[in-house]
Amino acid sequence: MNKKKANKFCLIGSLLFCFSVSSTASAALIEVSSFHVNSNVVQMEYSDAYNSIVYKNTASAAGVINLTSGIQSPKHFSNYRFTDLSLSPDGRYAFVSDYGGENIGYGSPLNQSYVHRLDLSTGTWQVKTSAIAGNIEAISSDRFALKSNDQWVSFSLNDWGSDASATQVVSNTYPSAYGGNFVYDSVGNRLVHGNAGSSSQELQAFKLTNNNSGLTQQEGSGTYGSAYGYGGTLVLATDHSTIYYGALQVDALDVTDNQNVFPELIYGATGDIAFGAGNYYDAHTKQLLGSLGFTTTTYTFSDDGKQVWAFDPATNNIHHFTFGAVTTVPEASTYSMLVFGFLLISLIRRKSADR
């Protein structure tokens, strides 16, 4: 083989080497601190604006923890049962749904429902009567969405207002939404519902219209469709890019676009990391990155996704984590291509030497 041809094959081998360097970034969680909470926390929300965590527990109580001062406020109690917690997009107000129950099969309230609102700037609570408040999503500081819980559920948009009762702007029942939960995507200005209790697991999106005073049904995964067999949780990633319906990851702007299926239910997520019951995964590749060292399903995150708080029910401690240095790990296919490239280069050089 002449030198020109040998150089040509060496160049091919080098290109294989260069183009084979693909990788996945994995981030290690580093624990910053932990503190004890005198409550069994089942849901919490972190406010960047006020460096505070608002939580609710299993015993119909809610509270706030100021992370700057370390002060935990006295518990605030429900009239019936706190079922959901949502933080306004500006981080100032926390809304909590106080569910009075429903007459099964009739879509009517069993007892009066309430909505509680905490102003984190003053630390004060207010309470108003409301429509059926099974789940809640804050749309703004003054507007919120409520969902009933029984069978084919109703959605209502409500204003906090100045009266003793929240003002209902619109209410509709949707045959595509059965039980389950919903999340509000402020980037897409959409509510996405994931059903539960039905033989067909489904995702359904709704667009807020008319200056957030109306709801328009958009795409859905369909009966026994693309989301069938999933569900169990419903999580919006902190960067609003994806939604997790149990172990299934979908595009937040197109719930029919399935992207990944993880080894377990996902309970919290940033744009890059998905959290199961103590394990955490690369949100893009599904690769297991590590474990917190305890089992939990209760997380909250900073808006940028770089700070994580997780509640350990075994100790009643909230652990604060941050992401450490990002390491680049070659993917399995990368190793194969590297080996192939090196073998090809060695073979060509050997043949060139023999000639």
Side-chain angles (χ1 to χ4, degrees), residues 133-208:
N135 292 98
I136 192 165
E137 285 294 308
I139 307 301
S140 67
S141 294
D142 296 302
R143 182 158 291 185
F144 54 93
L146 293 175
K147 184 189 72 63
S148 63
N149 277 346
D150 178 43
Q151 299 182 21
W152 288 275
V153 297
S154 62
F155 295 165
S156 63
L157 296 176
N158 307 266
D159 281 339
W160 185 254
S162 56
D163 297 331
S165 180
T167 303
Q168 190 174 101
V169 179
V170 66
S171 178
N172 286 305
T173 300
Y174 297 96
S176 60
Y178 191 99
N181 199 356
F182 63 175
V183 292
Y184 173 60
D185 172 15
S186 59
V187 173
N189 200 28
R190 307 198 318 160
L191 289 170
V192 175
H193 177 265
N195 74 353
S198 172
S199 61
S200 173
Q201 294 77 41
E202 300 175 32
L203 289 165
Q204 179 64 56
F206 302 86
K207 182 75 172 181
L208 274 75

Side-chain angles (χ1 to χ4, degrees), residues 217-252:
Q217 189 167 337
Q218 296 195 309
E219 84 284 354
S221 62
T223 304
Y224 302 108
S226 57
Y228 176 63
Y230 299 103
T233 62
L234 190 68
V235 171
L236 175 67
T238 56
D239 69 347
H240 300 252
S241 61
T242 54
I243 287 174
Y244 296 82
Y245 184 44
L248 176 67
Q249 179 195 60
V250 302
D251 186 340

Side-chain angles (χ1 to χ4, degrees), residues 44-64:
M44 55 186 181
E45 296 281 353
Y46 172 71
S47 168
D48 285 72
Y50 293 90
N51 194 30
S52 296
I53 289 176
V54 185
Y55 69 87
K56 76 173 189 70
N57 67 10
T58 55
S60 293
V64 58

Side-chain angles (χ1 to χ4, degrees), residues 83-338:
T83 51
D84 202 6
L85 165 67
S86 182
L87 197 67
S88 62
D90 64 3
R92 176 174 174 177
Y93 293 99
F95 292 82
V96 192
S97 56
D98 187 351
Y99 181 54
E102 295 172 65
N103 294 305
I104 304 301
Y106 291 92
S108 59
L110 177 64
N111 297 293
Q112 178 65 58
S113 283
Y114 298 83
V115 171
H116 301 237
R117 187 178 76 164
L118 168 66
D119 185 345
L120 284 166
S121 70
T122 62
T124 57
W125 288 91
Q126 291 179 292
V127 185
K128 292 181 184 289
T129 58
S130 72
I132 296 172
N135 292 98
I136 192 165
E137 285 294 308
I139 307 301
S140 67
S141 294
D142 296 302
R143 182 158 291 185
F144 54 93
L146 293 175
K147 184 189 72 63
S148 63
N149 277 346
D150 178 43
Q151 299 182 21
W152 288 275
V153 297
S154 62
F155 295 165
S156 63
L157 296 176
N158 307 266
D159 281 339
W160 185 254
S162 56
D163 297 331
S165 180
T167 303
Q168 190 174 101
V169 179
V170 66
S171 178
N172 286 305
T173 300
Y174 297 96
S176 60
Y178 191 99
N181 199 356
F182 63 175
V183 292
Y184 173 60
D185 172 15
S186 59
V187 173
N189 200 28
R190 307 198 318 160
L191 289 170
V192 175
H193 177 265
N195 74 353
S198 172
S199 61
S200 173
Q201 294 77 41
E202 300 175 32
L203 289 165
Q204 179 64 56
F206 302 86
K207 182 75 172 181
L208 274 75
T209 56
N210 300 327
N211 197 27
N212 293 346
S213 62
L215 283 173
T216 299
Q217 189 167 337
Q218 296 195 309
E219 84 284 354
S221 62
T223 304
Y224 302 108
S226 57
Y228 176 63
Y230 299 103
T233 62
L234 190 68
V235 171
L236 175 67
T238 56
D239 69 347
H240 300 252
S241 61
T242 54
I243 287 174
Y244 296 82
Y245 184 44
L248 176 67
Q249 179 195 60
V250 302
D251 186 340
L253 294 179
D254 181 2
V255 300
T256 68
D257 181 9
N258 292 358
Q259 298 189 341
N260 279 309
V261 176
F262 288 78
E264 60 178 300
L265 302 182
I266 300 302
Y267 295 94
T270 69
D272 295 316
I273 310 294
F275 290 82
N279 296 321
Y280 55 99
Y281 303 85
D282 186 308
H284 310 289
T285 68
K286 306 181 293 181
Q287 178 188 351
L288 176 65
L289 299 178
S291 173
L292 302 182
F294 56 89
T295 300
T296 184
T297 60
T298 307
Y299 299 93
T300 190
F301 307 91
S302 58
D303 288 344
D304 62 9
K306 295 180 180 178
Q307 308 294 321
V308 183
W309 290 265
F311 176 74
D312 181 358
T315 62
N316 277 25
N317 286 340
I318 293 177
H319 297 259
H320 177 202
F321 299 90
T322 188
F323 288 104
V326 176
T327 57
T328 301
V329 182
E331 297 172 1
S333 60
T334 298
Y335 286 115
S336 300
M337 291 297 289
L338 285 171

